[in-house]
Amino acid sequence: HVQLVESGGGSVQAGGSLRLSCAASGSIQRTNCMGWFRQAPGKERDWVATDNGVGTTYYGDSVKGRFTISQDSAKNTVYLQMNSLKPEDTGIYYCAGAKSNWYTCVVNRSAVGTYDYWGLGTQVTVS
C-alpha cells in the first residue's frame, strides 16, 4: 500500500518562497516517476513538474525557472522548491507517483491519468 503525504504549504506574499515536501511510504522507490500538480478553486488540476526518477526533471511553462523538483532517496521524499511566487500560483498542491516505467511517465507527464498514487494535497496561498 502506497501513501503520499504532502506538507509545507502556507500563506506567503508575492515574491516569497515555500518548499513543499511529499513523504512516500510503501512501494515507492527512488526510481519511480514523481510529479506535482496544483488545482486552483473552480479550475482543473494542472501539471506543475515531474522528476522521472533517473535524473531528469520537467516543468510547466508557468513555473519554469522558479520551481525546482527533487528527490531525496534516503528519506523517500520528493520536494518542490517554489521561488518568486505569484498570486496565480495559489492553489492546492498535490504530490503524485507513477507505477509505469520512466519513459511512459515522461511521455505523458502532464496527464493526471499517468499517475497512480496521490496525496491529499497542501494549500498554498500567495497574496
Side-chain angles (χ1 to χ4, degrees):
H1 179 63
V2 174
Q3 273 193 316
L4 301 177
V5 180
E6 302 95 337
S7 61
S11 296
V12 64
Q13 290 188 336
S17 298
L18 284 173
R19 189 177 80 156
L20 305 184
S21 299
C22 171
S25 61
S27 301
I28 289 286
Q29 301 175 11
R30 169 63 182 86
T31 54
N32 273 103
C33 187
M34 302 293 294
W36 285 95
F37 285 72
R38 66 187 180 189
Q39 188 166 17
K43 296 190 177 182
E44 294 185 349
R45 193 169 297 191
D46 289 334
W47 173 67
V48 174
T50 293
D51 181 327
N52 71 353
V54 291
T56 306
T57 56
Y58 305 83
Y59 300 93
D61 288 341
S62 63
V63 306
K64 202 171 294 183
R66 300 187 298 123
F67 290 12
T68 303
I69 186 172
S70 61
Q71 296 196 41
D72 184 332
S73 57
K75 297 182 178 180
N76 228 18
T77 300
V78 181
Y79 301 100
L80 185 69
Q81 177 67 44
M82 305 186 296
N83 299 328
S84 302
L85 282 162
K86 305 175 182 180
E88 50 264 44
D89 294 318
T90 293
I92 301 174
Y93 281 69
Y94 297 91
C95 175
K99 291 193 292 187
S100 61
N101 63 73
W102 70 263
Y103 178 78
T104 301
C105 177
V106 166
V107 168
N108 302 290
R109 59 188 177 271
S110 64
V112 169
T114 295
Y115 302 85
D116 304 283
Y117 313 113
W118 291 86
L120 296 180
T122 185
Q123 176 71 45
V124 171
T125 303
V126 185
S127 59

